Amino acid sequence: MKSESEVVEVEIVEIDGIAVEADSRGGGRAEQKGRPAVWGHWQGRLRSFDRRWMPLWIALGIVFGVVILVVGGLIAILVLLVLLFRGMLRLLLGR
């Protein structure tokens, strides 16, 4: 059995489509020079939707629209019933 440990050195070439430069000390740090390290690459992506989620947004929009139409229809039916009831009371009471 070997008690020696093997060290594997790798160089990061690209992360999420952004090329990175190695540190001059050779430590292999993956930071870009002249750009914010944490939120810089998210600047344009936070304002736009990913196209893969579009079917979900369409389905949720349809469900929301149906719910709004059903609730609106129920409110309209309730208002009509109240008006009919008031009209019948006026006829019966002779006012």
Side-chain angles (χ1 to χ4, degrees), residues 59-73:
L60 287 175
I62 291 171
V63 168
F64 183 72
V66 168
V67 167
I68 291 296
L69 288 174
V70 167
V71 169

Side-chain angles (χ1 to χ4, degrees), residues 11-32:
E11 180 179 342
I12 299 174
V13 179
E14 187 174 342
I15 297 176
D16 293 334
I18 301 172
V20 294
E21 297 177 13
D23 192 7
S24 61
R25 294 176 292 187
R29 291 177 47 183
E31 292 183 2
Q32 293 178 324

Side-chain angles (χ1 to χ4, degrees), residues 45-57:
R45 295 183 185 181
L46 291 178
R47 295 186 200 123
S48 62
F49 291 114
D50 191 357
R51 288 182 186 235
R52 294 176 291 180
W53 291 93
M54 192 56 64
L56 175 67
W57 293 118

